[in-house]
Amino acid sequence: MSEALAHANIYTEEDYYNLPENVRAELIDGQIYYMAAPSRAHQEILSYLHLEIGNYLRSKKGPCKVYPAPFAVKLFSEDDRNVVEPDISVVCDPNKLTDRGCTGAPDWIVEIICPTTSSHDYIRKLNLYADAGVKEYWIVDPLSKKIFVYHLEQEDFKADSYTFQDKIKVNIYDDLWIDFTELEL
């Protein structure tokens, strides 16, 4: 006699949007992952990047917009099992923007990790973002003071590593550099 296998709950976009308003979570492959409140360093990095990117985009007067978390991103329009909240999303196609956030892959995503969810950002989300068509993905680690830049639009997968002592070129733009030395963390 075979044992009955336990079936894990598979959640959908509807379940995600029915979570209480004060709950921060992401829906990945039908599973809900709850997120803790961010640290002060996390928020300083988020604020700095949001301002730097926002000022650059405003000066260019183009279609791209920057959105800090919480901002819902449904990576695949036909898939209701994946809704993420990247720390920073840059969306250059206004047709992807909805009242709820973004449907489709942002052009550039930045995640600022915390120790308890680092494998989530380094593995699970990296693969999800690559599959969805995100062009550039940055992982910022406040503890090690490192930045990992993944160039996902290139056929030969490429990743570069930097520190908070570096000025980093954003590959999806010709003239945007982010100077992490200005953070003073």
Side-chain angles (χ1 to χ4, degrees), residues 148-166:
F148 299 93
V149 176
Y150 297 88
H151 311 283
L152 302 177
E153 67 183 338
Q154 298 175 356
E155 282 187 30
D156 56 333
F157 183 85
K158 185 179 176 204
D160 294 312
S161 175
Y162 300 93
T163 72
F164 282 23
Q165 298 304 308
D166 292 319

Side-chain angles (χ1 to χ4, degrees), residues 1-7:
M1 177 181 241
S2 65
E3 285 185 41
L5 295 175
H7 293 286

Side-chain angles (χ1 to χ4, degrees), residues 63-65 67 90-98 102-103 105-107:
C64 300
K65 304 281 185 189
Y67 298 95
V90 176
V91 181
C92 296
D93 181 352
N95 294 319
K96 291 181 179 180
L97 298 173
T98 68
C102 176
T103 297
D107 295 83

Side-chain angles (χ1 to χ4, degrees), residues 27-164:
L27 176 67
I28 300 176
D29 295 329
Q31 297 301 305
I32 292 178
Y33 295 90
Y34 294 96
M35 299 185 296
S39 69
R40 181 190 56 79
H42 179 285
Q43 291 304 91
E44 282 191 37
I45 295 166
L46 177 67
S47 295
Y48 172 73
L49 292 173
H50 180 236
L51 286 169
E52 290 293 302
I53 297 164
N55 288 337
Y56 172 84
L57 295 177
R58 189 168 27 272
S59 76
K60 295 300 179 184
K61 298 181 179 14
C64 300
K65 304 281 185 189
V66 60
Y67 298 95
F71 180 73
V73 175
K74 182 179 177 183
L75 291 165
F76 308 96
S77 60
E78 300 302 317
D79 175 11
D80 69 347
R81 298 179 333 128
N82 287 289
V83 180
V84 293
E85 287 188 12
D87 288 308
I88 293 192
S89 301
V90 176
V91 181
C92 296
D93 181 352
N95 294 319
K96 291 181 179 180
L97 298 173
T98 68
D99 288 341
R100 286 188 157 172
C102 176
T103 297
D107 295 83
W108 178 23
I109 287 178
V110 179
E111 295 283 8
I112 304 159
I113 64 167
C114 71
T116 58
T117 61
S118 62
S119 64
H120 192 65
D121 293 316
Y122 282 111
I123 300 167
R124 187 173 285 120
K125 285 177 145 181
L126 171 61
N127 288 315
L128 193 61
Y129 294 158
D131 290 345
V134 173
K135 294 176 184 176
E136 191 163 343
Y137 175 42
W138 289 24
I139 298 175
V140 180
D141 184 340
L143 288 179
S144 68
K145 296 188 176 184
K146 291 187 178 177
I147 304 99
F148 299 93
V149 176
Y150 297 88
H151 311 283
L152 302 177
E153 67 183 338
Q154 298 175 356
E155 282 187 30
D156 56 333
F157 183 85
K158 185 179 176 204
D160 294 312
S161 175
Y162 300 93
T163 72
F164 282 23

